[in-house]
Amino acid sequence: MGTRFQSFLLVFLLSCLILISTASCERKHDGTVRIGLKKRKLDRANRLASQLFLKNRGSLATKEYFRLNDATGDIVPLKNYLDAQYYGEIAIGTPPQKFTVIFDTGSSNLWIPSTKCYLSVSCYFHTKYKASESSTYKKNGKPASIRYGTGAISGYFSDDDVKVGEIVVNEQEFIEATTEPGITFLVAKFDGILGLGFKEISVGNTTPVWYNMVEKGLVKEPIFSFWLNRNPNDAEGYWQFDMGDLQIAGKPTGYCAKGCSAIADSGTSLLTGPSSVITMINHAIGAEGVVSHECKAVIGQYGKTMLNSLLAQEDPKRVCSQIGVCAFDGTESVSMNIKTVVDDGASGILNEAMCSACEMAAVWMQSELSQNETQERILTYAAELCDHIPTQNQQSAVDCEKVSSMPIVTFSIGGKNFDLSPQEYIFKIGDGVETQCTSGFTAMDIPPPRGPLWILGDIFMGPYHTVFDYGKARVGFAKAA
């Protein structure tokens, strides 16, 4: 499901997973299938999740949807659970057996629990597919397993008719999950996942549902889109694209000045990026991070040397290898387990943490140099950032009273700027004095060749209507009305 998280964030995802809508399909004349969204109130079982994460803002109907361009023009409603992930209903078999699924652009397989799932407790809390009750079922039996960041499933492939809205895909290959270990799927609000990614990342080289819709002429155009309205009152295999530089309060970070890669992932709740830039965002919004002694040691001992190298137009990627903190393999720095003597005379190991801290510091210094800041200011700023380094794959807390004064974070895509306001990237939990706020930005350092990579999840797709053009292999964004 795209980016998946651990510990604190894991609880978030568990509380945010997809819930089916009971609303009927609304017919349109523009050749689309739309899956509308609703919000629901928390029950007692979700109280813990609500305390840790996002506040539910009522059960008001909205106009959010997942849309397919087809010949009949139906609208298939979705529901929104905690403004985090979006759920819809599909049916499998004859007569139709209904299931709730995530429409996930970060994966490519369709799976749902099987009646043969005996040993996983989570299967007893979700609707299970009954092959014996479907006249269109065809035995397949090929084994299958998928591992996500927050859980895994395994089982076997089967073939049956799959219905999305009024579109029926005959003899669709899907996975009957017979094991769902852990608590991830136990407390999930969805039954399964319907992947909308490319075939290259499908497990078992199966043809995804969306591919079959296009190849069998079941949709008018090879395009689908998401509009995730957040108004509370009303060989990559991914959908990957190039992204320009990122700005914080109108100030360029410089990290993506030469371009970065990004994916739009409806199966990821937050927005993830490299630690160095997420740290800069954390500092700007006052997010509490992990104090990094390694980071401060690098800046204290090598800061001026690094600055001199950068002023001499040295490649930031080589700076850390020049001072002996990292090695350079020709394209990037790698950690060196070498011994050194730090200022207090104690012997220590410059390990991977030191190398990583040095690389981040080089990015921060380069960014400040581009703004013509003084050397003293640059070193002070870099030291401050050390206190805001995020824990990988986890969220950071912020001061709720300062949300209105937090900066706009801007992404450059296709030569156009896409702004995120603090009201769009901050999650609020609870009411009154018990209100807690967390940042929607989290760090994930994906190594080459796939990384570094930005993953624009629902935090971004909420304010921007996202169109996935399968025919031209491109993604488009427009401000949601």
Side-chain angles (χ1 to χ4, degrees):
M1 294 185 291
T3 332
R4 303 299 178 264
F5 314 102
Q6 302 168 354
S7 58
F8 179 77
L9 181 57
L10 171 60
V11 182
F12 177 37
L13 289 182
L14 300 184
S15 70
C16 313
L17 299 173
I18 291 182
L19 173 70
I20 180 172
S21 170
T22 56
S24 60
C25 294
E26 177 187 352
R27 184 169 296 276
K28 291 287 183 181
H29 300 290
D30 58 355
T32 62
V33 170
R34 293 178 180 174
I35 308 174
L37 300 174
K38 288 186 178 180
K39 297 181 180 179
R40 66 174 287 209
K41 294 182 179 180
L42 296 177
D43 53 30
R44 291 182 180 273
N46 300 312
R47 185 175 180 82
L48 174 61
S50 69
Q51 291 174 341
L52 291 175
F53 300 105
L54 189 62
K55 174 188 173 185
N56 179 35
R57 299 181 177 89
S59 57
L60 298 176
T62 63
K63 295 181 180 179
E64 295 130 330
Y65 57 80
F66 166 62
R67 182 172 72 180
L68 300 172
N69 280 18
D70 82 325
T72 61
D74 293 317
I75 294 176
V76 184
L78 293 179
K79 281 189 177 179
N80 165 14
Y81 187 69
L82 296 177
D83 267 0
Q85 292 203 359
Y86 296 80
Y87 315 33
E89 182 180 88
I90 66 169
I92 301 177
T94 307
Q97 301 175 34
K98 296 181 179 180
F99 304 92
T100 60
V101 296
I102 296 175
F103 290 89
D104 179 21
T105 57
S107 65
S108 299
N109 290 86
L110 167 61
W111 67 262
I112 42 85
S114 171
T115 52
K116 295 184 179 180
C117 181
Y118 304 119
L119 301 178
S120 295
V121 176
S122 57
C123 288
Y124 292 91
F125 290 87
H126 296 95
T127 305
K128 296 180 286 293
Y129 171 73
K130 305 176 181 65
S132 60
E133 296 183 7
S134 174
S135 62
T136 47
Y137 161 77
K138 291 186 178 180
K139 184 177 180 179
N140 183 313
K142 182 173 61 177
S145 63
I146 302 177
R147 178 169 296 279
Y148 302 105
T150 53
I153 64 99
S154 62
Y156 55 87
F157 284 97
S158 294
D159 298 336
D160 208 336
D161 295 349
V162 173
K163 183 178 182 182
V164 182
E166 294 303 314
I167 299 177
V168 178
V169 181
N170 296 321
E171 299 183 6
Q172 173 64 47
E173 192 173 29
F174 66 97
I175 298 172
E176 287 193 53
T178 56
T179 61
E180 298 178 14
I183 65 170
T184 300
F185 299 116
L186 174 63
V187 298
K189 296 299 178 182
F190 63 92
D191 298 319
I193 295 175
L194 193 156
L196 293 166
F198 287 88
K199 186 175 181 178
E200 284 79 2
I201 59 173
S202 67
V203 171
N205 197 35
T206 187
T207 302
V209 174
W210 172 245
Y211 272 60
N212 276 327
M213 286 184 178
V214 174
E215 293 172 1
K216 296 180 180 181
L218 301 176
V219 289
K220 185 177 180 180
E221 295 181 80
I223 298 173
F224 63 85
S225 64
F226 283 86
W227 177 31
L228 311 180
N229 183 8
R230 293 301 183 85
N231 185 345
N233 298 316
D234 10 273
E236 299 295 344
Y238 301 100
W239 289 94
Q240 185 165 333
F241 49 89
D242 294 328
M243 188 179 83
D245 201 13
L246 179 139
Q247 300 177 33
I248 304 172
K251 177 182 175 181
T253 62
Y255 186 86
C256 294
K258 296 181 180 179
C260 286
S261 293
I263 65 172
D265 183 6
S266 63
T268 296
S269 303
L270 308 179
L271 195 157
T272 76
S275 293
S276 53
V277 186
I278 297 300
T279 301
M280 297 169 76
I281 295 174
N282 276 356
H283 177 266
I285 67 178
E288 298 176 2
V290 177
V291 177
S292 173
H293 297 290
E294 293 86 355
C295 177
K296 290 185 176 180
V298 166
I299 293 171
Q301 187 171 356
Y302 302 106
K304 291 184 179 180
T305 303
M306 294 170 67
L307 268 179
N308 290 334
S309 295
L310 292 170
L311 284 169
Q313 305 298 314
E314 185 61 56
D315 184 348
K317 293 181 180 180
R318 294 180 178 271
V319 168
C320 295
S321 62
Q322 288 181 340
I323 63 176
V325 177
C326 304
F328 191 74
D329 65 2
T331 58
E332 62 175 339
S333 295
V334 294
S335 63
M336 294 174 60
N337 289 325
I338 60 176
K339 292 184 178 180
T340 188
V341 177
V342 294
D343 292 341
D344 61 3
S347 179
I349 301 288
L350 287 179
N351 53 20
E352 185 175 351
M354 290 287 279
C355 179
S356 176
C358 183
E359 288 181 318
M360 286 192 286
V363 170
W364 304 335
M365 292 179 182
Q366 181 66 38
S367 175
E368 292 299 287
L369 281 172
S370 67
Q371 303 298 317
N372 296 318
E373 295 286 355
T374 65
Q375 292 193 33
E376 181 180 1
R377 168 56 191 158
I378 292 172
L379 292 174
T380 300
Y381 174 66
E384 290 175 355
L385 287 177
C386 289
D387 291 332
H388 298 274
I389 296 175
T391 302
Q392 286 280 307
N393 304 334
Q394 295 189 24
Q395 288 178 274
S396 301
V398 297
D399 187 342
C400 293
E401 294 184 358
K402 296 181 179 179
V403 171
S404 61
S405 62
M406 291 178 185
I408 299 292
V409 178
T410 304
F411 293 82
S412 176
I413 303 173
K416 298 189 181 216
N417 288 338
F418 296 86
D419 295 337
L420 288 182
S421 70
Q423 290 75 21
E424 291 168 334
Y425 64 69
I426 295 296
F427 291 127
K428 286 189 176 182
I429 313 139
D431 290 307
V433 295
E434 296 183 355
T435 302
Q436 299 176 36
C437 293
T438 59
S439 169
F441 298 100
T442 188
M444 178 175 286
D445 293 308
I446 301 174
R450 289 181 178 252
L453 182 70
W454 288 84
I455 302 178
L456 310 185
D458 295 342
I459 286 290
F460 187 87
M461 294 174 65
Y464 292 102
H465 182 187
T466 308
V467 178
F468 298 82
D469 189 338
Y470 169 76
K472 296 182 179 179
R474 64 186 182 183
V475 179
F477 303 100
K479 189 68 178 178

